[in-house]
Amino acid sequence: MNALLTRQSIHLLKPFAKKIDARVKPGHDAANITSFHLIMLANDSFHIAVLPGDGIGPEVMAPALAVLDRVAAATPGLKFRFTEAPAGAGHYRDTGKSMPASTIKLCEEADAILLGACGLPHIRYPDNTEIMPQVELRFIFDLYAGVRPCRLIPNVPSPIVGAAERGIDLVVIRESTEGLFASMGKGVVTDTEARETLVITRKTSQRLFDFSFRLARRRKARGRRGLLTCVDKANAFKAYAFFRGMFDECAARYPDVDTDRLYVDACSAMLVRRPWDFDVMVMENMFGDIISDLTAGLIGGMGMAPSADIGDTHAVFQPCHGTAPDIMGKGLANPTAMILSAALMLDWLADRHGHAGAAQAARAIEHAVDRAFAAGLAPCEFGGRDGTAAIAGAVLRALDASVRA
């Protein structure tokens, strides 16, 4: 088992330690998984690549896996096989690589990738940038659609007046492989200036918009507004005008989906005044990086914000928060975003494989989280006393109660 998981999570989460230890076999080598084994596993279970990462990553991963085990036990036809693999600053410190080839191979062959949090501020690449395998995976597997849900959970404080009464339930779709991030590691720096290049392509933008329109249509079928807003800076930059033009072309193919267009500055102002007016928003990579953090702040912070990076064949699911080394090992980390990311994974697996049980399990997790918080759960970041084990335990009890009902 990953030493960091053992050291930082198991002793803090004793109720889950036995099950996790039984699941991940010591000495397992992901590189030895054969295609034959994967075919056999695919017949009766979803194979999930588990990358706990650094800092609080392993601490929030443990309860998420326990929740997945619990819903699998209660859902006929739903089973998982979890294989853990190293990635992050800790691995870089020991090997000089953010993740080994065996981790990439595992991720390629698995049905989905579940990631904790990666990177530590004091461990960096030679150019002083952070260790970010989560971003590298986006480029490796062409995960162009970054999905950042923003839903206000009952009894969670929001800084927005009226949010408790009106509710917040929106999704930011962040293009995740191009934009300003296409220049990552390629920027030119001299003594007098630095230059980075923003890239927007037709191929990726068209796929991104198709994904976004389908999501808006799906949310409309579930009772949401179904409004898709393109967020850009088309009044100042040709690249964003190109982006908006392709959005308009795509909108013509989805006449049943209502659309809007906003400049990113105006959008930011509107989000902190009336976030309930938004449903689905699609935008370039850097704008999405910033806006998704803003929307997380509307619903209680990063500890409440799940995310997914989705491509045509692969997907990574992880909380929006970082590794939080200041609270690492103290049992204070909020696992809610990680648990909700696991629910996102189930929803994606259900859609991709036509698995009704996985969709049912995703809703069960979301409802259990809602019930746990509505009953008075108060994480430490909100001034409460509930740490990792207490939050995980409350969600598991809510799941059990729903099964008994």
Side-chain angles (χ1 to χ4, degrees), residues 84-99:
E84 186 183 321
H91 185 76
Y92 177 79
R93 176 190 56 210
D94 298 335
T95 68
K97 296 181 179 180
S98 68
M99 53 187 158

Side-chain angles (χ1 to χ4, degrees), residues 331-356:
L332 302 177
N334 183 354
T336 304
M338 185 77 249
I339 291 170
L340 291 174
S341 295
L344 274 181
M345 180 186 73
L346 287 171
D347 199 46
W348 180 78
L349 287 169
D351 186 56
R352 180 170 174 78
H353 296 279
H355 196 296

Side-chain angles (χ1 to χ4, degrees), residues 21 95 120 153 155 174 177 193 196 246 254 293 322 353 380:
D21 188 61
T95 68
L120 293 171
I153 290 171
N155 209 35
R174 165 192 178 183
T177 62
E193 66 178 40
E196 305 277 4
M246 289 183 287
Y254 295 87
D293 277 17
H353 296 279
C380 299

Side-chain angles (χ1 to χ4, degrees), residues 10-67:
I10 299 303
H11 79 281
L12 294 169
L13 301 168
K14 291 181 180 179
F16 317 124
K18 183 176 180 181
K19 184 174 287 291
I20 293 170
D21 188 61
R23 179 192 300 115
V24 186
K25 302 300 183 183
H28 175 81
D29 182 1
N32 289 331
I33 298 174
T34 66
S35 297
F36 174 76
H37 290 144
L38 286 171
I39 291 170
M40 293 299 292
L41 289 169
N43 289 333
D44 66 357
S45 64
F46 288 120
H47 182 209
I48 310 301
V50 177
L51 282 56
D54 311 302
I56 64 170
E59 298 177 40
V60 298
M61 180 65 76
L65 297 181
V67 166

Side-chain angles (χ1 to χ4, degrees), residues 139-401:
F139 290 102
I140 292 170
F141 295 114
D142 195 18
L143 310 178
Y144 55 86
V147 181
R148 308 293 188 264
C150 169
R151 184 175 68 89
L152 185 61
I153 290 171
N155 209 35
V156 171
S158 171
I160 306 302
V161 175
E165 296 75 25
R166 301 292 298 270
I168 300 173
D169 187 352
L170 59 88
V171 181
V172 173
I173 306 296
R174 165 192 178 183
E175 195 289 309
S176 292
T177 62
E178 297 183 344
L180 196 55
F181 275 77
S183 187
M184 192 176 71
K186 303 174 185 176
V188 177
V189 180
T190 70
D191 289 341
T192 57
E193 66 178 40
R195 292 178 180 266
E196 305 277 4
T197 302
L198 182 148
V199 177
I200 292 175
T201 70
R202 179 171 291 276
K203 176 184 175 181
T204 295
S205 298
Q206 287 178 336
R207 290 187 298 167
L208 178 75
F209 293 142
D210 278 327
F211 179 96
S212 302
F213 274 98
R214 290 194 300 268
L215 178 61
R217 178 184 283 169
R218 186 179 181 191
R219 282 172 62 85
K220 186 175 183 178
R222 291 181 173 182
R224 291 292 301 157
R225 187 175 175 187
L227 171 67
L228 177 61
T229 303
C230 179
V231 180
D232 56 46
K233 195 63 178 170
N235 59 329
F237 295 96
K238 292 181 180 179
Y240 291 116
F242 179 56
F243 188 77
R244 180 179 289 202
M246 289 183 287
F247 176 84
D248 291 339
E249 292 171 7
C250 193
R253 301 197 299 274
Y254 295 87
D256 57 315
V257 177
D258 293 334
T259 59
D260 197 3
R261 295 128 186 95
L262 284 174
Y263 300 136
V264 66
D265 44 351
C267 175
S268 300
M270 293 171 67
L271 275 170
V272 297
R273 294 181 60 210
R274 297 179 59 86
W276 43 83
D277 286 345
F278 292 89
D279 190 9
V280 182
M281 299 183 289
V282 60
M283 60 200 72
E284 174 268 335
N285 205 338
M286 180 57 77
F287 287 168
D289 187 26
I290 297 167
I291 293 294
S292 62
D293 277 17
L294 185 156
T295 55
L298 305 180
I299 58 167
M302 296 297 190
M304 306 300 297
S307 79
D309 289 300
I310 299 173
D312 291 334
T313 57
H314 296 82
V316 174
F317 302 86
Q318 67 179 100
C320 284
H321 63 69
T323 55
D326 57 323
I327 61 170
M328 178 176 63
K330 297 180 180 179
L332 302 177
N334 183 354
T336 304
M338 185 77 249
I339 291 170
L340 291 174
S341 295
L344 274 181
M345 180 186 73
L346 287 171
D347 199 46
W348 180 78
L349 287 169
D351 186 56
R352 180 170 174 78
H353 296 279
H355 196 296
Q360 175 188 335
R363 301 289 83 77
I365 292 173
E366 291 179 352
H367 293 157
V369 169
D370 285 0
R371 286 193 295 272
F373 276 89
L377 199 59
C380 299
E381 65 260 41
F382 303 152
R385 297 189 297 178
D386 294 322
T388 314
I391 296 169
V395 174
L396 288 169
R397 288 191 295 275
L399 275 174
D400 290 341

